[in-house]
Amino acid sequence: MSDDLNTRADQRLEAALAETGARDPRQAYRTLLRQLKQRDEVTYARAVTHWRTTVIEPLGRGEGDPLRLWLNFGVGLVETLHPGRAVKIDEGGIAHPLDEPPGWDALVLHLPEDPGERAVPVVLPPEPTPAQTATLHLLVEGRLSLDNA
């Protein structure tokens, strides 16, 4: 893959982030990819190929919505690591099925099937509501109180 394609893809994402105020998903997804690589190098290689063909190449060619392409990749990546389901958490902290792709101002969590695993954030809103923050504290961090402990 050419460096020009990577550069154009990064530029398109940067422009979308600046325009929308969305959070940059790349660092979180890199962390997930590292976890996948440690667990299974063959599946990791498939995930990297999937990222190149479904995110970088279309963006580099000027195709697709950068935020939507990254969201779709993130949902699939988390599902690969932790079988389960993605849900959208509304402003009141209520979970809804992820029937249609949410905007990048949404809170999207992946809820693993394994009850011993914590929820994984897929998309974080630029400014979570208090209810969304409480949901993150409980389901992602495992905190049972609202204090700063």
Side-chain angles (χ1 to χ4, degrees):
M1 182 181 331
S2 76
D3 288 337
D4 288 344
L5 203 62
N6 285 331
T7 300
R8 286 193 303 271
D10 283 344
Q11 289 170 342
R12 289 199 58 221
L13 177 61
E14 294 290 337
L17 294 172
E19 181 180 320
T20 63
R23 291 188 188 212
D24 189 336
R26 291 175 290 192
Q27 187 57 46
Y29 295 171
R30 281 185 197 112
T31 299
L32 293 171
L33 281 167
R34 278 193 294 275
Q35 291 172 7
L36 183 58
K37 185 175 184 180
Q38 290 174 350
R39 182 184 296 173
D40 181 347
E41 290 205 22
V42 172
T43 304
Y44 164 79
R46 274 189 243 133
V48 170
T49 298
H50 181 71
W51 163 74
R52 286 182 182 136
T53 59
T54 63
V55 178
I56 299 302
E57 290 176 9
L59 290 179
R61 292 188 306 260
E63 302 167 0
D65 173 357
L67 299 176
R68 181 80 56 223
L69 293 174
W70 274 99
L71 169 66
N72 290 340
F73 172 72
V75 168
L77 177 60
V78 176
E79 176 66 27
T80 299
L81 273 164
H82 308 282
R85 64 188 173 98
V87 296
K88 178 182 174 184
I89 308 298
D90 70 18
E91 293 79 10
I94 307 297
H96 301 277
L98 193 62
D99 294 332
E100 59 185 53
W104 277 83
D105 57 347
L107 171 57
V108 177
L109 296 179
H110 180 81
L111 306 176
E113 290 173 358
D114 181 346
E117 293 183 24
R118 292 194 176 139
V120 179
V122 180
V123 178
L124 295 171
E127 296 185 29
T129 66
Q132 289 171 329
T133 300
T135 301
L136 287 166
H137 289 322
L138 177 65
L139 297 180
V140 175
E141 300 171 14
R143 289 180 23 192
L144 300 176
S145 65
L146 294 178
D147 62 358
N148 291 330

